[in-house]
Amino acid sequence: MENANNFDFEDWLNRWDIQAVPDFDDKLRECEFFFELLSKETDRNKFRWLLSGFLNAAYSFFESSALTAHFRYTDSDGESYEDDEGISILRRHVKVEQNKKNRNFVKTAGLTPLTRQLYEVRKKCTHHLPLSIMVTGSSLPENFHLGRMKGEGVPAMPLCRDVLQLIQSVFAEING
């Protein structure tokens, strides 16, 4: 095993590919990317796959924003500390819990009706079965509904639109 005192910081820094590091707004832009594709897609299967991508990106936005808020700032000794305002903003929409034994593990859960719905739909399509998408009219993609029981579906595009608007608002509020 190599001695920790032999760590070559300059070598490590030279190997770092700074272009590989995503921009700070990457998760927001990922949500916008999937939403733009969703808003044009009329094929049911492609819509379902894109919707799954959107839901995962939206979930990931809240998870990564919560983690970032817990380690956002660094003091003069190099110790990280929380962005209390950012965490407070997030907690208006999602539950945010940091694991006491592993501070690098931060978990979120839906809190408002919109975020609870987002988390529930995302959980079903990630951990159970693929999304069921019904066609309820000829104006696609607006007439794609989540569900399999006629008359009981949830309009997918309005849900995604509301989630995207929330994400954009939360991002703007946290990042000024």
Side-chain angles (χ1 to χ4, degrees):
M1 177 182 250
E2 190 173 320
N3 185 338
N5 294 331
N6 293 335
F7 179 75
D8 186 344
F9 181 73
E10 189 170 327
D11 176 60
W12 179 82
L13 202 54
N14 286 333
R15 291 184 301 120
W16 190 282
D17 184 353
I18 199 70
Q19 297 298 319
V21 178
D23 290 337
F24 189 64
D25 64 349
D26 186 67
K27 284 299 171 185
L28 167 65
R29 291 185 305 125
E30 184 179 349
C31 292
E32 291 170 338
F33 168 82
F34 279 111
F35 183 82
E36 182 180 336
L37 293 174
L38 277 172
S39 67
K40 299 172 187 168
E41 187 56 62
T42 59
D43 178 272
R44 185 191 320 229
N45 282 328
K46 290 178 184 176
F47 183 86
R48 181 169 44 86
W49 300 329
L50 291 169
L51 179 56
S52 180
F54 175 83
L55 295 170
N56 281 305
Y59 169 83
S60 183
F61 168 82
F62 287 108
E63 290 274 303
S64 61
S65 294
L67 182 63
T68 298
H70 276 281
F71 299 98
R72 187 174 198 115
Y73 302 119
T74 306
D75 64 19
S76 59
D77 295 328
E79 292 294 318
S80 63
Y81 62 97
E82 296 177 355
D83 173 2
D84 293 328
E85 185 178 350
I87 292 171
S88 176
I89 291 165
L90 285 165
R91 284 189 170 144
R92 285 189 244 143
H93 309 284
V94 293
K95 296 175 189 173
V96 178
E97 294 181 15
Q98 185 178 32
N99 185 299
K100 302 299 179 206
K101 293 181 181 179
N102 179 0
R103 293 186 61 228
N104 291 322
F105 185 76
V106 177
K107 187 74 182 138
T108 62
L111 181 62
T112 65
L114 179 58
T115 57
R116 278 196 308 265
Q117 186 176 26
L118 164 66
Y119 277 61
E120 186 60 31
V121 172
R122 184 243 167 219
K123 181 174 86 173
K124 285 180 182 176
C125 77
T126 302
H127 300 290
H128 299 288
L129 298 171
L131 291 169
S132 295
I133 300 293
M134 297 183 292
V135 176
T136 62
S138 61
S139 181
L140 300 178
E142 288 298 325
N143 289 137
F144 281 130
H145 286 210
L146 291 158
R148 59 181 68 94
M149 301 299 288
K150 294 178 181 176
E152 297 178 17
V154 174
M157 286 306 295
L159 171 64
C160 293
R161 197 172 288 113
D162 290 347
V163 167
L164 181 58
Q165 288 172 349
L166 174 62
I167 287 169
Q168 290 169 329
S169 173
V170 167
F171 182 86
E173 197 172 352
I174 290 174
N175 298 295

